[in-house]
């Protein structure tokens, strides 16, 4: 809403949400659908003096239409605490029946007490809601008590109407407000920006009502009433209009120490400014006890220029701020309601830094010196600004009542979020990743040695070629050198480096067949002997138990321990570990037992596998003596690729 809004022109609020209440006939149809004109049972829960000022106009509106609504009032929080004025009495004075009083505040005025208060409310509220069984609960704002209310209602499948969602202030209240938004089913917001914030938070636009602030329905009709009697009652008979200050400052729960220091500087500046000042006690947030101590330390309650009070009834408070020379502090009232009167406001610190404000508000974001605050008082005091209608035009309650009547209780309770369209997500499943990566491979050609990075589809990503040395030792040395070089490049390509066991794979029509367990064609774990040695997989007699690098190393150690490994031309240093290479070397030098172990290892099963599927390419992973595969290759195998470490 802007300053050009005419009170009688509701079309300035039009949007998709107004499809809900275009005509009274639509409302009647909805009521009939809800069950033979059954009244909508509305529970309004109020936690403190501030939220009651916003909820009271709605409560009066609901009470005035008994043919449509049943009203239940629940009072909790600081309303019921003497130190904060026992403000539940003003609800009774407004002639509302309080159905339930819940003592939910754990005293201490620190962070832990706030958390404990939320927990206590969550313990007590289920019994109340089970007894009242409301169709909808109205929750206001961003207080920790309101979070407990919304959480309880949401978990008990009670529809929630949230008042003043989508706004931005600047402290923990933002997080609480947005959390309630996500729990709420319907939203009443006060400004265009708040409406856009709710839409950006993926709330359904059809369930958002831009109505304005309910308190403005009172504010815009209040200024012309008799006010001098109220000023004299609270500030003294010698005080004139526009010649006093209203101060209202709360702790900032995310920076308590700084907010207490800022309050101390504010009081010092007000003492120096030497004008009659009405100081209201802070709210019950963490840090408020320390702020009260600061007031008493400075003698504010007994100072001739100050009047310190716990509570002022809202109707009287309106008159006091409307005719003040200035308001100072960090209350949302200063940046919201006071703008309706054009009263100068000094907003201290960051508690309301994100609020939309009129030109009557002067921000002192870093209120770190008394002089800075004093200068702001000199600049603002006694000015008169144009009245602002950012937060309302005085017709909020009728819109809210129409919105309530339009709620269809037969609609699914589960709320839906209007997420923006996004691209289809790409699978991040580990098996999918492994299947699409590359592997390091060695092609044992006759003339040349070739090491390649090969994709799972059999495509060569990168190839390294060297002339094949004549001696076995040089060949092994060159292969390892080429593999190290390729592995370094493979890291950049997410190369899959396989283990030292015997693996396998089937590429069919350019796709790797993985099977239901993603372990298809795992050749190393084919059982070839039920009485064979133990395998690491838990079975007995797997090919890997006979022919893997670890298996051959085990056999080499066994021969070495029996002094049957070494032959003429061989030696093993004392500190050197016996490996499968020693077994191969012994076989080449004529060790019959070593040669027997290599030949009896059931490597031929892998070659038999090629006969079963007749592939054009075989990838054999693991560190098994490659000479066995070369000599055993079948004629139909066009390409042999060794996948190694």
């Amino acid at each position: 809403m802007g300053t050009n809004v005419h009170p009688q022109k509701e079309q300035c609020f039009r949007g998709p949400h107004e499809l809900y209440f275009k005509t009274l006939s639509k409302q009647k149809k909805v009521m009939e659908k809800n069950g033979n004109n059954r009244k909508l049972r509305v529970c309004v829960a109020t936690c403190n003096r501030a939220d009651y000022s916003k909820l009271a106009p709605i409560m009066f509106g609901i009470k005035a239409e008994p043919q449509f609504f049943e009203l239940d009032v629940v009072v909790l929080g600081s309303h019921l605490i003497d130190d904060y004025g026992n403000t539940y009495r003003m609800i009774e004075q407004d002639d509302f029946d309080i159905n339930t009083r819940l003592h939910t505040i754990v005293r201490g005025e620190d962070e832990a007490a706030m958390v404990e208060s939320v927990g206590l409310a969550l313990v007590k509220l289920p019994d109340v809601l089970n007894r009242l069984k409301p169709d909808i609960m109205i929750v206001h704002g961003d207080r920790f008590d309101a979070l407990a209310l919304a959480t309880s209602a949401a978990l008990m499948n009670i529809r929630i109407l949230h008042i003043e969602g989508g706004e931005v202030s600047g402290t923990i209240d933002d997080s609480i407000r947005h959390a309630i938004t996500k729990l709420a089913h319907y939203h009443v917001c006060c400004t265009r920006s708040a409406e856009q914030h709710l839409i950006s938070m993926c709330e359904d636009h059809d369930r958002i009502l831009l109505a304005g602030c309910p308190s403005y329905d009172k504010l815009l009709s209040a200024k012309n009433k008799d006010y001098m009697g109220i000023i004299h009652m609270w500030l003294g008979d010698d005080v004139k209009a526009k010649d006093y200050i209203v101060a209202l400052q709360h702790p900032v729960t995310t920076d308590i120490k700084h907010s207490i220091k800022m309050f101390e500087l504010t009081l010092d500046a007000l003492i120096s400014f030497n004008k009659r000042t009405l100081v209201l006690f802070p709210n019950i947030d963490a840090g408020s006890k320390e702020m009260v101590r600061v007031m008493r330390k400075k003698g504010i309650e007994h100072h001739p220029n100050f009047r310190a009070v716990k509570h002022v009834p809202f109707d009287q408070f309106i008159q006091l701020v409307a005719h003040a020379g200035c308001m100072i502090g960090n209350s949302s009232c200063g940046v919201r309601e006071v703008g309706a009167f054009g009263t100068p406001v000094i907003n201290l610190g960051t508690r309301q830094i994100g609020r939309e404000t009129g030109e009557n508000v002067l921000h002192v974001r870093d209120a770190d010196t008394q002089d800075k605050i004093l200068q702001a008082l000199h600049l603002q005091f006694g000015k008169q600004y144009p009245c602002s209608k950012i937060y309302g035009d005085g017709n909020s309650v009728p819109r809210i009542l129409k919105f309530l009547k339009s709620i269809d209780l037969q609609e699914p309770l589960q709320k839906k979020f209007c997420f923006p369209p996004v691209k289809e997500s790409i699978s991040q499943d580990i098996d999918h990743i492994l299947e699409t990566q590359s592997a390091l491979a060695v092609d044992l050609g006759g003339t040349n040695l070739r090491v390649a990075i090969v994709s799972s589809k059999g495509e060569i990503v990168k190839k390294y070629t060297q002339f094949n040395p004549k001696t076995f030792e040089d060949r092994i040395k060159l292969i390892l050198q080429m593999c190290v070089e390729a592995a370094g490049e493979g890291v950049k390509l997410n190369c899959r480096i396989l283990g030292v066991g015997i693996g396998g794979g089937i590429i069919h029509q350019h796709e790797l067949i993985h099977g239901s367990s993603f372990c298809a064609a795992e050749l190393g774990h084919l059982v070839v002997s039920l009485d064979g040695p133990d395998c690491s997989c838990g079975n007995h007699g797997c090919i890997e138990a006979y022919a893997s690098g670890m298996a051959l190393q085990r056999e080499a150690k066994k021969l070495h321990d029996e002094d049957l490994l070494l032959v003429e031309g061989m030696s093993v240093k004392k500190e050197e570990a016996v490996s499968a290479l020693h077994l191969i070397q012994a076989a080449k030098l004529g060790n019959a037992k070593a040669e027997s172990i290599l030949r009896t290892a059931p490597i031929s099963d892998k070659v038999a596998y090629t006969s079963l599927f007749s592939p054009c390419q075989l990838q054999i992973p693991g560190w098994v003596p490659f000479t066995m595969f070369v000599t055993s290759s079948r004629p139909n195998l066009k390409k042999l690729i060794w996948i190694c470490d």
Side-chain angles (χ1 to χ4, degrees):
M1 283 170 277
T3 55
N4 60 341
V5 175
H6 191 281
Q8 302 301 320
K9 292 185 178 180
E10 282 193 326
Q11 60 265 32
C12 65
F13 290 91
R14 287 199 179 278
H17 49 277
E18 291 226 0
L19 294 174
Y20 272 117
F21 43 86
K22 275 189 174 180
T23 62
L24 285 173
S25 61
K26 171 105 181 261
Q27 296 168 11
K28 291 179 181 177
K29 288 179 182 179
V30 170
M31 293 294 288
E32 290 172 1
K33 189 175 180 181
N34 285 340
N36 298 322
N37 292 323
R38 182 173 73 84
K39 297 177 184 179
L40 188 71
R41 189 158 192 173
V42 181
C43 176
V44 177
T46 173
C47 310
N48 53 63
R49 66 192 182 196
D51 75 12
Y52 181 67
S53 68
K54 317 294 178 65
L55 294 171
I58 302 173
M59 293 163 64
F60 279 115
I62 291 172
K63 188 177 178 180
E65 298 194 27
Q67 70 275 25
F68 291 109
F69 305 107
E70 289 183 18
L71 175 64
D72 293 319
V73 180
V74 175
V75 173
L76 65 158
S78 61
H79 272 308
L80 302 171
I81 297 179
D82 181 64
D83 287 349
Y84 294 88
N86 284 325
T87 50
Y88 73 91
R89 290 172 183 158
M90 63 183 179
I91 303 173
E92 293 177 331
Q93 290 167 3
D94 285 339
D95 201 25
F96 289 112
D97 294 326
I98 298 176
N99 297 82
T100 304
R101 293 176 173 84
L102 285 181
H103 292 271
T104 58
I105 296 298
V106 177
R107 299 305 300 272
E109 285 77 17
D110 58 13
E111 295 96 329
M114 291 169 65
V115 177
E116 291 168 357
S117 298
V118 171
L120 185 57
L122 289 172
V123 170
K124 292 186 174 185
L125 280 166
D127 287 340
V128 175
L129 297 179
N130 268 329
R131 175 169 52 84
L132 297 178
K133 299 188 184 308
D135 296 316
I136 189 164
M137 172 176 277
I138 298 180
V139 177
H140 170 270
D142 49 33
R143 309 296 302 139
F144 59 85
D145 321 72
L147 180 60
L149 287 165
T151 302
S152 301
L155 292 175
M156 296 185 71
N157 292 323
I158 297 169
R159 298 168 193 268
I160 301 166
L161 176 68
H162 184 209
I163 308 292
E164 292 187 10
E167 296 186 16
V168 179
S169 52
T171 182
I172 190 66
D173 293 351
D174 277 342
S175 300
I176 295 175
R177 187 185 308 110
H178 301 331
I180 296 173
T181 289
K182 304 320 292 180
L183 294 169
H185 303 81
Y186 307 96
H187 312 274
V188 172
C189 57
C190 302
T191 69
R192 292 282 183 193
S193 294
E195 180 187 36
Q196 291 304 311
H197 292 159
L198 290 173
I199 295 170
S200 298
M201 293 164 67
C202 303
E203 295 299 315
D204 185 351
H205 199 170
D206 288 342
R207 294 191 172 196
I208 300 171
L209 172 67
L210 175 57
C213 183
S215 63
Y216 264 62
D217 290 23
K218 270 193 171 184
L219 296 176
L220 297 180
S221 61
K223 191 173 180 181
N224 294 327
K225 294 180 180 179
D226 176 47
Y227 56 88
M228 287 307 301
I230 296 172
I231 294 173
H232 292 159
M233 179 174 66
W234 290 99
L235 288 150
D237 294 336
D238 58 333
V239 178
K240 299 177 182 179
K242 296 295 181 181
D243 198 33
Y244 62 90
I245 298 169
V246 176
L248 178 53
Q249 198 158 330
H250 302 300
V252 178
T253 56
T254 51
D255 193 355
I256 295 173
K257 187 176 179 180
H258 177 69
S259 62
I260 294 168
K261 178 63 177 176
M262 185 170 63
F263 185 54
E264 188 173 2
L265 293 172
T266 302
L267 294 178
D268 288 339
L270 288 169
I271 291 170
S272 297
F273 196 66
N274 198 30
K275 287 289 182 182
R276 191 67 56 85
T277 302
L278 180 70
V279 180
L280 279 81
F281 277 59
N283 64 20
I284 201 168
D285 282 352
S288 60
K289 187 182 292 184
E290 288 81 359
M291 292 179 71
V292 173
R293 287 197 189 104
V294 169
M295 288 174 59
R296 287 171 178 162
K297 180 181 176 181
K298 294 185 176 295
I300 295 300
E301 291 172 292
H302 306 290
H303 194 287
N305 264 351
F306 288 86
R307 300 290 184 270
V309 298
K310 295 177 181 178
H311 169 65
V312 178
F314 185 65
D315 287 345
Q316 298 176 29
F317 182 74
I318 290 173
Q319 299 301 328
L320 290 170
V321 296
H323 299 91
C326 179
M327 182 175 181
I328 188 169
N330 61 5
S331 169
S332 62
C333 174
V335 297
R336 291 171 55 94
E337 281 82 1
V338 177
F341 309 119
T343 302
V345 173
I346 299 170
N347 180 51
L348 301 174
T350 60
R351 190 170 183 266
Q352 306 295 339
I353 201 66
R355 295 276 191 192
E356 298 174 70
T357 66
E359 60 181 296
N360 64 310
V361 178
L362 175 63
H363 295 283
V364 185
R365 292 177 172 84
D366 190 12
D368 54 353
T369 66
Q370 174 186 336
D371 184 64
K372 191 180 293 185
I373 300 171
L374 194 58
Q375 290 297 323
L377 284 166
H378 284 293
L379 286 172
Q380 285 285 79
F381 187 79
K383 285 187 177 180
Q384 180 61 46
Y385 290 92
C387 297
S388 169
K389 292 184 179 178
I390 293 175
Y391 287 94
D393 65 351
N395 293 290
S396 172
V397 173
R399 297 185 183 105
I400 294 172
L401 295 180
K402 289 180 182 180
F403 191 61
L404 282 169
K405 293 172 188 175
S406 73
I407 292 174
D408 184 358
L409 298 180
Q410 302 304 314
E411 286 184 345
L413 182 67
Q414 177 61 50
K415 67 181 291 186
K416 295 181 180 179
F417 299 101
C418 300
F419 295 108
V422 294
K423 293 181 180 179
E424 185 178 350
S425 61
I426 299 174
S427 172
Q428 289 298 308
D429 181 82
I430 184 62
D431 296 305
H432 169 81
I433 293 172
L434 293 178
E435 282 188 46
T436 55
Q437 305 307 306
S438 304
L440 187 63
V442 178
D443 183 2
L444 301 173
T447 305
N448 296 311
L449 290 179
R450 291 184 288 273
V451 174
I453 300 171
V454 183
S455 74
S456 61
K457 294 184 178 181
E459 299 169 348
I460 295 176
V461 179
K462 192 165 185 178
K463 184 170 67 175
Y464 304 81
T465 304
Q466 294 285 351
F467 180 79
N468 197 349
K470 293 182 179 180
T471 66
F472 173 81
E473 290 78 12
D474 290 342
R475 191 176 302 162
I476 292 294
K477 183 178 179 181
L478 181 58
I479 287 174
L480 291 175
Q481 180 182 332
M482 294 171 69
C483 286
V484 168
E485 183 181 355
E489 182 67 20
V491 170
K492 302 175 184 176
L493 300 172
N494 296 319
C495 178
R496 182 183 182 186
I497 306 299
L498 301 178
V500 297
I502 300 171
I506 301 170
I507 297 173
H508 177 62
Q509 293 183 351
H510 303 290
E511 292 290 338
L512 179 66
I513 296 175
H514 52 68
S516 62
S517 64
F518 292 87
C519 295
E522 184 62 37
L523 304 182
H525 296 292
L526 293 176
V527 177
V528 294
S529 173
L530 296 176
D531 298 322
D534 294 341
C535 180
S536 59
C537 73
N539 282 334
H540 303 279
C542 296
I543 292 176
E544 189 154 323
Y546 287 100
S548 68
M550 295 296 293
L552 296 179
Q553 183 182 32
R554 183 185 66 240
E555 294 297 325
K557 286 181 178 179
K558 189 184 296 184
L559 289 178
H560 185 61
D561 292 339
E562 297 172 358
D563 293 327
L564 298 175
L565 177 65
L566 300 180
V567 295
E568 187 176 353
M570 277 188 71
S571 64
V572 178
K573 297 178 181 179
K574 190 174 182 179
E575 67 274 9
E576 186 179 3
V578 176
S579 68
L581 283 175
H582 293 107
L583 188 70
I584 298 169
Q585 186 181 12
K588 284 191 64 178
L589 293 174
N591 188 321
K593 288 187 176 295
E595 187 174 355
S596 175
I597 291 170
L598 291 176
R599 290 193 180 279
T600 54
I603 301 171
S604 57
D605 286 65
K606 288 183 170 55
V607 180
Y609 205 84
T610 68
S611 299
L612 178 62
F613 291 96
S614 190
C616 64
Q617 176 177 304
L618 176 64
Q619 294 186 357
I620 306 175
W623 197 87
V624 184
F626 51 71
T627 55
M628 305 302 296
F629 291 95
V630 175
T631 58
S632 305
S633 296
R634 302 282 298 194
N636 62 329
L637 187 63
K638 297 179 181 178
K639 193 171 194 178
L640 175 67
I641 296 181
W642 183 288
I643 304 178
C644 67
D645 293 302

